């Protein structure tokens, strides 16, 4: 009896030392990436925060403390106020259209029509392109003297697209006229063209996951097709809508390349956004502290959306 | 029955109209890039070329070829490295959870969403300090580090679908941490690697902000060169269109050939997976 017990104890001991060795290996696997992220994301954000309250607004770094001077300057600045206005309207229009188009198209494609995979691929391929390519092409398509305006001639409408400086329903607000800048529509169209595929794919995956019995049951209860979508399907798709809104919101708040390639700031900054301002003031104007302050404001705006989303979706995960 | 047919026609009508709208940029790109120079005018933008002329492609290719190669040198190592690191992290975070590993994962995930403007100034200072500013390797490291959150997320969700019982039985057979990874996880990861690699390839190829701030002219990746081409006043717009098409070609081809995996990556990026 005794030797056998000893063997058992020994294997148990072996297993335990092996497990703790394995645990140590697991930590060693993860550690390099985690340390890199701590430094390159959190450390660098902290460093940017420090630059944003410094006096570094020339080529020569100057880390003396400036307090909130750069932030106060920005919030009183014509260009930055225009950026905030443009971001608000761009975000609302962009998200709204991406949701409506993506949902509508996914419902149409989910009807088991012939050629659905062709349609799906046509609506999805812009996702594989760069914002720069999109910007270069749409700059020509929405050029007021060519592109779509050649067709619109027949209807006697000639929108000025991104060259329009009109502000709809505008009123004085700070330095700027607050209202909907017409030129923003041009950029929204290009961005929607590129990103609709994302919401389409998300909704389509959601629709495919809804069991047919559910629709059957609603039909037996006498619901019309429209009612089934409104009362049964849309509520089920709600978490997907939340995900799409959050992901599109963070893309919209940090957008840079599309606008930089397509229109730039525009006359009177009608298509300017914080991402473009940050880039130009930092890397073309050497106003590092101002650029850092813009970046921190952008980060805070994104965090307002992302942090609650991350926390709640991680909680649901566990 | 007649009503049903009408609704089907209506559905097709909407789909076809929108499909045409979605394809117009491609049409204009193709048509314009194939026109000879004397046919390129704002008035004839929509009309087909009277004869096929590839000179804008040769011109665009001459302008963009070095930058195209820069992008290749950037995208291949960056994709491979970030995929391997993502697999390692995903393995630990799905199969070797420890106290605090979930918090670590959430802390990592946040990095996926930050505007990169908020780390750009320190990053450039750092890269200059270590002598990697204006080098392809500087860009590679950048893309590997900032790609870690998404590749980790994708592999973690992918590995979560591999049953724990497989790992337990391998452990009973004496496999340790590395053994399980090499002999169980990696052989099952091929489609995971394809999804992650396509995603990283597409993103890094298309990326602009890091590319334009970390490198200067000779080391610019393709998207920066394309932007410069379109910003220059002397370059004809048929050349710009040909350039846009050339720059888009690799990711478009990947999408056409491996679209299914691309869409899977797209869906995996929405945190829950």
């Amino acid at each position: 009896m005794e030797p056998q017990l000893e063997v058992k104890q020994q294997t148990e001991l072996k297993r335990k030392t092996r497990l703790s060795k394995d645990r140590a290996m697991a930590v060693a696997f993860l550690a390099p990436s985690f340390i890199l992220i701590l430094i390159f994301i959190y450390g660098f954000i902290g460093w940017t925060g420090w630059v944003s309250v410094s006096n570094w607004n020339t080529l020569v770094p100057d880390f003396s403390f400036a307090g909130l001077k750069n932030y106060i300057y920005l919030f009183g600045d014509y260009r930055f106020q225009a950026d905030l206005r443009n971001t608000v309207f761009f975000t609302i229009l962009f998200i709204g259209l991406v949701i409506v188009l993506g949902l509508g198209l996914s419902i149409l494609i989910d009807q088991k029509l012939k050629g659905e995979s062709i349609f799906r691929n046509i609506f999805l391929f812009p996702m594989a392109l760069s914002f720069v390519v999109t910007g270069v092409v749409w700059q020509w398509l929405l050029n007021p003297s060519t592109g779509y305006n050649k067709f619109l001639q027949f209807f006697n409408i000639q929108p000025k697209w991104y060259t329009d400086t009109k502000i709809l329903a505008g009123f004085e607000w700070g330095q700027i006229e607050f209202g909907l800048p017409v030129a923003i529509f041009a950029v929204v169209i290009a961005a929607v063209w590129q990103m609709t595929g994302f919401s389409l794919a998300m909704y389509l995956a959601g629709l495919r996951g809804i069991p047919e019995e559910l629709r059957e049951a609603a039909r037996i209860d006498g619901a019309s097709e429209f009612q089934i979508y409104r009362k049964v399907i849309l509520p089920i798709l709600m978490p997907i809508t939340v995900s799409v809104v959050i992901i599109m919101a963070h893309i919209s708040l940090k957008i840079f390349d599309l606008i930089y390639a397509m229109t730039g700031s525009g006359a009177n900054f009608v298509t300017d956004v914080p991402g473009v301002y940050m880039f130009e003031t930092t890397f073309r104007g050497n106003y590092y502290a101002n650029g850092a302050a813009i970046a921190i404001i952008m980060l805070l705006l994104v965090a307002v959306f992302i942090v609650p989303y991350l926390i709640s979706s991680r909680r649901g995960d566990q | 029955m007649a009503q049903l047919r009408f609704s089907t026609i209506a559905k097709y009508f909407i789909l076809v109209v929108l499909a045409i709208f979605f394809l117009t940029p491609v049409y204009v790109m193709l048509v314009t890039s194939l026109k000879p120079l004397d046919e390129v005018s704002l008035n004839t933008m929509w009309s087909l070329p009277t004869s096929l002329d590839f000179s804008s492609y040769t011109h665009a290719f001459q302008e963009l070829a070095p930058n195209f190669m820069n992008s290749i040198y950037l995208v291949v190592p960056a994709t491979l490295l970030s995929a391997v690191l993502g697999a390692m992290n995903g393995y630990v975070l799905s199969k070797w959870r420890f106290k605090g590993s979930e918090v670590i994962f959430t802390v990592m995930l946040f990095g996926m969403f930050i505007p990169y403007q908020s780390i750009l100034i320190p990053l450039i200072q750092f890269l200059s300090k270590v002598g990697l500013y204006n080098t392809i390797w500087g860009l590679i490291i950048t893309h590997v580090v900032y790609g870690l959150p998404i590749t980790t997320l994708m592999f973690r969700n992918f590995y979560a679908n591999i049953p724990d019982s497989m790992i337990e039985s391998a452990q009973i057979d004496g496999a340790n941490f590395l053994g399980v990874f090499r002999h169980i996880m990696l052989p099952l990861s091929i489609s995971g690697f394809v999804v992650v690699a396509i995603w990283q390839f597409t993103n890094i190829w298309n990326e602009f902000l890091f590319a334009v701030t970390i490198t200067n002219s000779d080391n610019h990746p393709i998207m920066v060169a394309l932007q410069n081409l379109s910003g220059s006043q002397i370059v004809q717009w048929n050349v710009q269109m040909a350039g846009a098409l050339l720059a888009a070609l690799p990711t478009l081809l990947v999408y056409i050939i491996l679209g299914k995996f691309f869409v899977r990556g797209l869906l995996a990026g929405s945190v829950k997976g």
Side-chain angles (χ1 to χ4, degrees):
Chain A
M1 285 305 263
E2 265 207 341
Q4 214 182 350
L5 197 74
E6 220 164 72
V7 170
K8 242 188 188 169
Q9 271 176 336
Q10 261 179 359
T11 48
E12 179 63 21
L13 199 72
K14 256 192 200 159
R15 204 182 67 88
K16 268 195 177 152
T17 50
R18 205 185 66 203
L19 251 180
S20 67
K21 246 192 201 163
D22 282 349
R23 290 230 173 81
M25 274 302 287
V27 173
F29 245 48
L30 191 62
S33 298
F34 187 57
I35 291 167
L36 281 175
I37 282 184
L38 284 184
I39 296 170
F40 279 75
I41 292 177
Y42 294 91
F44 281 8
I45 286 175
W47 184 242
T48 304
W50 175 244
V51 173
S52 79
V53 291
S54 77
N55 282 309
W56 184 14
N57 274 323
T58 55
L59 253 180
V60 190
D62 172 2
F63 295 116
S64 57
F65 185 63
L68 292 176
K69 193 186 80 188
N70 302 308
Y71 289 92
I72 293 165
Y73 166 78
L74 280 176
F75 282 108
D77 178 36
Y78 179 89
R79 182 173 182 180
F80 194 65
Q81 290 182 0
D83 289 358
L84 291 178
R85 172 198 66 200
N86 299 343
T87 301
V88 167
F89 287 104
F90 178 82
T91 304
I92 294 172
L93 290 170
F94 170 64
I95 296 179
L97 281 168
V98 163
I99 295 269
V100 169
L101 264 181
L103 180 63
L105 284 172
S106 70
I107 290 174
L108 282 177
I109 286 175
D110 195 41
Q111 306 280 313
K112 301 178 181 73
L113 298 172
K114 264 192 196 137
E116 58 159 68
S117 72
I118 297 173
F119 286 118
R120 206 180 50 222
N121 281 324
I122 290 175
F123 299 127
L124 267 164
F125 85 90
M127 284 291 306
L129 298 183
S130 164
F131 267 131
V132 176
V133 170
T134 305
V136 169
V137 178
W138 280 93
Q139 178 197 349
W140 289 108
L141 283 169
L142 295 178
N143 182 318
S145 49
T146 178
Y148 285 110
N149 275 13
K150 288 275 169 231
F151 288 113
L152 296 173
Q153 265 172 4
F154 298 115
F155 307 100
N156 255 333
I157 11 175
Q158 292 287 287
K160 286 194 262 169
W161 299 115
Y162 51 82
T163 61
D164 205 327
T165 52
K166 228 183 293 140
I167 308 286
L168 290 183
F171 56 88
E172 294 280 310
W173 182 74
Q175 306 277 320
I176 58 159
E177 202 183 348
F178 190 86
L180 171 59
V182 178
I184 276 292
F185 278 108
V187 196
V188 168
I189 291 172
V192 168
W193 177 78
Q194 174 133 37
M195 299 305 295
T196 295
F198 179 76
S199 74
L200 169 66
M202 293 277 286
Y203 280 123
L204 213 49
L207 285 170
R208 299 270 148 97
I210 297 174
E212 188 56 35
E213 295 87 66
L214 219 65
R215 297 176 204 228
E216 262 328 301
R219 251 174 236 137
I220 290 165
D221 288 345
S224 69
E225 279 305 301
F226 179 73
Q227 280 175 319
I228 292 176
Y229 275 106
R230 239 200 56 181
K231 297 262 169 72
V232 181
I233 309 239
L234 280 189
I236 297 177
L237 295 178
M238 202 53 201
I240 293 181
T241 306
V242 173
S243 294
V244 175
V245 168
I246 301 283
I247 287 165
M248 290 301 120
H250 101 274
I251 289 175
S252 151
L253 291 172
K254 64 188 190 190
I255 197 151
F256 160 67
D257 24 11
L258 173 70
I259 291 174
Y260 188 73
M262 184 174 164
T263 65
S265 316
N268 269 334
F269 301 115
V270 277
T271 56
D272 201 46
V273 285
V276 174
Y277 191 8
M278 188 278 169
F279 173 77
E280 287 182 347
T281 202
T282 311
F283 300 105
R284 300 287 179 258
N286 297 320
Y287 293 100
Y288 285 86
N290 283 351
I294 299 172
I296 292 295
I297 296 168
M298 290 171 72
L299 178 72
L300 291 177
L301 287 175
V302 168
V304 167
F305 284 87
I306 290 301
V307 171
Y309 173 67
L310 265 187
I311 290 172
S312 76
S313 83
R314 299 291 304 120
R315 254 196 214 133
D317 214 33
Q318 280 164 42
Chain B
M1 207 57 204
Q3 209 186 358
L4 208 134
R5 214 174 297 150
F6 173 75
S7 75
T8 314
I9 291 170
K11 281 170 195 164
Y12 271 115
F13 180 76
I14 299 172
L15 281 174
V16 168
V17 167
L18 279 167
I20 290 171
F21 170 73
F22 265 73
L23 287 174
T24 45
V26 182
Y27 171 80
V28 170
M29 263 202 278
L30 273 174
V31 166
T32 312
S33 61
L34 291 169
K35 279 176 191 165
L37 202 64
D38 55 339
E39 268 182 56
V40 178
S41 87
L42 294 180
N43 279 317
T44 57
M45 176 166 171
W46 294 94
S47 47
L48 288 164
T50 50
S51 63
L52 287 187
D53 184 300
F54 291 93
S55 60
S56 40
Y57 281 97
T58 27
H59 189 163
F61 188 76
Q62 273 167 10
E63 295 274 343
L64 297 178
N67 309 96
F68 192 95
M69 288 320 288
N70 286 342
S71 278
I72 300 270
Y73 296 139
L74 158 66
V75 92
V76 173
T79 300
L80 292 178
L81 276 171
S82 62
V84 168
L85 284 170
M88 289 165 61
N89 299 336
Y91 172 49
V92 174
L93 290 170
S94 61
K95 297 299 176 208
W96 291 89
R97 295 190 190 186
F98 50 89
K99 217 175 156 210
S101 69
E102 288 296 295
V103 177
I104 287 181
F105 180 49
T106 311
V107 165
M108 288 176 86
L109 269 187
F110 180 65
M112 205 169 108
F113 297 103
I114 60 161
Y116 293 131
Q117 284 88 350
S118 64
I119 48 88
L120 203 50
I121 296 170
L123 177 69
I124 287 169
Q125 284 184 286
F126 167 80
L127 290 175
S128 322
K129 266 257 160 65
V130 296
L132 287 172
Y133 178 73
N134 192 23
T135 63
I136 298 291
W137 271 104
L139 266 183
I140 292 172
I141 289 170
T142 302
H143 280 292
V144 169
V145 171
Y146 295 103
L148 282 175
I150 184 89
T151 58
T152 300
L153 166 73
M154 284 178 164
F155 272 111
R156 178 186 172 276
N157 289 346
F158 183 80
Y159 287 149
N161 293 327
I162 293 176
D164 288 343
S165 57
M166 281 184 76
I167 290 159
E168 276 153 25
S169 62
Q171 281 175 320
I172 289 165
D173 292 344
N176 61 7
F177 175 86
L178 278 178
V180 172
F181 188 58
R182 268 183 49 197
H183 301 297
I184 309 284
M185 302 305 264
L186 283 184
L188 290 171
S189 307
I190 292 165
S191 73
F193 268 100
V194 173
V195 170
V196 170
I198 287 177
W199 186 254
Q200 282 300 89
F201 172 83
T202 308
N203 272 335
I204 298 169
W205 185 271
N206 289 341
E207 202 274 339
F208 183 69
L209 181 62
F210 287 139
V212 74
T213 49
I214 290 175
T215 55
N216 299 326
S217 50
D218 279 352
N219 288 320
H220 275 328
I222 183 98
M223 287 308 157
V224 186
L226 174 65
Q227 151 69 23
N228 289 340
L229 196 71
S230 90
S232 112
Q233 302 294 319
I234 31 169
V235 179
Q236 281 291 337
W237 62 304
N238 57 334
V239 178
Q240 293 182 22
M241 291 294 185
L245 215 62
L246 279 182
L249 209 57
T251 53
L252 262 185
L253 282 180
V254 165
Y255 173 74
I256 290 167
I257 299 166
L258 297 161
K260 208 174 67 187
F261 295 98
F262 176 77
V263 175
R264 246 197 263 167
L266 203 92
L267 298 174
S270 60
V271 181
K272 271 192 177 151

